[in-house]
């Protein structure tokens, strides 16, 4: 069978070519290991903050005690002036500033308590802001309860229903889990695109696939088999990455790991399809590799997972919809939260279009070259 013949031929080539074999084995291992080391601490801790205390009363002192007691915050300074606090932020000596206005302890007719955070480091700044808000809210609740007790029955108000917020998919606010879900598939997406182009480019002679198509029986199916090791390598490394995050690091996937692994397989089938289209259209290895970097390298930024794509200009939304990583990450995030089956099937259906449309076009361009000569 031509698919099996192409698969065996590629395995034999990889066994002979140590560099290409390393691109499928050693390089992904090093990339994933380095990423695991970088995000290993998990949640950010000891986020440096400064408190601007313009009140000096009991409420302000309670807020400062709460900030000091928070395991996620590191109080690096208390000052009555806003200038030194903003200077600390500009020096990157602090990620956020809490401003307590004068007469804050009156809890009535007062200026609001402000939280300022560094938006250039959005993750650290927003987390510091969240923990400052929690510390402040606790102190305000205690102060309100004390004033109600002092006021007697007149200060007792009707209890309102409580509000409970539950974070879906990442309840611990772990950057390791969040970034691991994005970086692992994203890096492998680019790596497999590069190896697939490198493998297909070896079939060209004088910038054409004509000779390959003429001498190969059923060249389209043979080429599908040749891409098999690349798809399987990407799927295997992606599965190992998820096992590392879930079994070794203890993060919980609410949905099915089997569905995620199947989605990884579809992602790398789509990756190979686009890689073949790039080399079939450009007929030049360097240009095709540059195209792979543009497609796969920009995929994380335009996937909507790291930065919101809703409301972006229509070219950005169109580019996001074209990229296969966008649909894989939608499926993966749905499984992370344990979503229903219907959205998973929709994204899987979109991923199946890539081997049919760009993949089919690539195979037609390659085999047509042999038929014309």
């Amino acid at each position: 069978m031509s698919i099996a013949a192409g698969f065996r031929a590629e395995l034999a080539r990889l066994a002979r070519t140590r560099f290409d074999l390393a691109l499928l084995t050693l390089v992904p291992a090093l990339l994933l290991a380095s990423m695991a080391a970088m995000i290993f601490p998990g949640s950010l801790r000891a986020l440096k903050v400064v408190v601007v205390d313009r009140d000096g009363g009991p409420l302000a002192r309670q807020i400062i005690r709460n900030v000091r007691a928070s395991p996620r915050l590191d109080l690096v300074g208390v000052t009555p002036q806003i200038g030194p606090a903003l200077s600390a932020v500009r020096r990157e000596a602090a990620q956020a500033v809490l401003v307590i206005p004068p007469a804050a302890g009156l809890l009535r007719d007062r200026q609001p308590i402000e939280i300022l955070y560094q938006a250039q480091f959005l993750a650290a700044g927003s987390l510091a802001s969240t923990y400052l808000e929690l510390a402040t809210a606790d102190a305000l609740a205690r102060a309100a309860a004390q004033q109600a007790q002092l006021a007697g029955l007149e200060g007792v108000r009707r209890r309102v229903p409580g509000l409970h917020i539950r974070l879906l998919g990442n309840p611990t606010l772990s950057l390791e889990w969040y970034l691991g879900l994005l970086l692992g598939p994203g890096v492998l997406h680019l790596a497999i695109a590069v190896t697939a182009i490198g493998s297909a480019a070896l079939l060209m002679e004088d910038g054409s696939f004509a000779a390959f198509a003429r001498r190969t029986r059923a060249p389209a199916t043979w080429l599908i088999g040749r891409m098999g090791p690349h798809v399987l390598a990407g799927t295997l490394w992606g599965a190992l990455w998820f096992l590392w995050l879930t079994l070794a690091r203890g993060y919980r996937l609410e949905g099915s790991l089997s569905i995620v692994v199947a989605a990884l397989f579809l992602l790398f089938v789509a990756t190979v399809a686009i890689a073949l289209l790039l080399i079939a259209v450009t007929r030049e290895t360097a240009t095709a590799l540059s195209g792979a970097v543009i497609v796969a390298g920009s995929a994380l930024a335009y996937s909507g997972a790291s930065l919101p794509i809703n409301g972006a200009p229509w070219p950005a939304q169109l580019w996001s919809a074209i990229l296969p990583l966008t649909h894989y990450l939608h499926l993966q995030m749905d499984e992370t939260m344990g979503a229903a089956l219907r959205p998973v099937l929709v994204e899987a259906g979109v991923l199946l279009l890539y081997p049919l449309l760009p993949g089919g076009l690539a195979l037609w361009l390659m085999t047509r070259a042999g038929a014309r000569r």
Side-chain angles (χ1 to χ4, degrees):
M1 187 177 180
S2 295
I3 293 179
F7 188 89
R8 290 193 299 269
E10 181 65 359
L11 288 180
R13 184 190 73 83
L14 291 172
R16 295 191 306 269
T17 312
R18 293 184 178 180
F19 179 79
D20 289 349
L21 181 61
L23 288 178
L24 280 179
T25 55
L26 183 60
V27 171
L30 291 176
L31 290 174
L32 294 177
S34 62
M35 285 191 303
M38 286 187 287
I39 62 178
F40 188 81
S43 301
L44 290 176
R45 295 180 179 272
L47 296 166
K48 297 180 179 180
V49 298
V50 177
V51 174
V52 178
D53 183 7
R54 294 174 174 171
D55 177 57
L59 175 61
R61 291 194 295 270
Q62 182 61 53
I63 292 175
I64 293 172
R65 284 196 295 269
N66 286 356
V67 172
R68 281 202 175 99
S70 174
R72 302 294 178 89
L73 298 175
D74 179 15
L75 182 61
V76 296
V78 178
T79 175
Q81 302 297 329
I82 189 67
L86 295 180
S87 177
V89 172
R90 285 192 292 268
R91 297 194 315 270
E92 299 182 14
Q95 280 86 31
V97 177
L98 176 67
V99 182
I100 305 174
L106 297 179
L107 299 179
R108 186 179 299 175
D109 299 328
R110 58 174 172 81
Q111 299 177 24
I113 296 175
E114 294 182 291
I115 297 175
L116 315 174
Y117 67 89
Q118 173 62 280
Q120 287 182 330
F121 304 98
L122 187 58
S126 60
L127 283 176
S129 171
T130 299
Y131 297 129
L132 282 175
E133 185 177 355
L134 291 173
T136 304
D138 178 75
L140 289 174
R142 293 185 184 186
Q146 291 174 357
Q147 289 195 7
Q149 290 176 359
L150 293 175
L153 292 177
E154 294 180 359
V156 177
R157 297 182 179 180
R158 181 181 301 173
R159 294 186 61 184
V160 297
L163 177 64
H164 178 69
I165 300 174
R166 181 185 178 190
L167 299 175
L168 299 177
N170 192 4
T172 61
L173 290 177
S174 170
L175 284 182
E176 181 183 22
W177 181 230
Y178 167 70
L179 292 176
L181 292 174
L182 303 182
L183 295 179
V187 168
L188 292 173
H189 177 47
L190 176 58
I192 297 304
V194 169
T195 61
I197 289 174
S199 176
L202 295 174
L203 303 176
M204 286 192 303
E205 295 180 12
D206 298 325
S208 173
F209 290 96
F212 157 73
R214 285 198 304 269
R215 67 172 178 263
T216 305
R217 182 180 179 183
T221 54
W222 191 92
L223 190 55
I224 291 173
R226 185 180 178 94
M227 294 295 104
H230 302 267
V231 173
L232 293 180
T235 305
L236 176 62
W237 282 117
L240 290 175
W241 178 249
F242 265 92
L243 290 176
W244 162 258
L245 290 174
T246 53
L247 296 183
R249 298 296 294 142
Y251 296 107
R252 181 175 178 180
L253 187 75
E254 298 291 341
S256 170
L257 183 59
S258 299
I259 292 179
V260 173
V261 173
L264 283 167
F265 178 82
L266 294 179
L267 170 65
F268 294 115
V269 169
T271 302
V272 164
I274 292 176
L276 289 179
L277 181 61
L278 288 171
I279 193 66
V281 170
T282 63
R283 307 292 178 91
E284 189 178 75
T285 305
T287 305
L289 289 173
S290 299
V293 171
I294 293 173
V295 173
S298 66
L300 273 180
Y302 287 94
S303 66
S306 57
L307 295 174
I309 203 70
N310 295 335
W314 70 264
Q317 296 194 40
L318 178 62
W319 182 246
S320 174
I322 291 173
L323 297 172
L325 188 64
T326 298
H327 303 285
Y328 166 77
L329 288 178
H330 287 174
L331 190 157
Q332 174 189 270
M333 294 307 178
D334 286 339
E335 283 304 300
T336 300
M337 297 185 296
L341 186 60
R342 184 178 180 277
V344 172
L345 293 177
V346 170
E347 300 300 343
V350 175
L351 287 173
L352 285 172
L353 294 177
Y354 290 92
L356 296 177
L357 299 180
L361 178 58
L363 294 176
W364 178 74
L365 290 173
M366 292 176 174
T367 56
R368 184 189 63 165
R372 291 185 309 185
R373 296 189 181 186

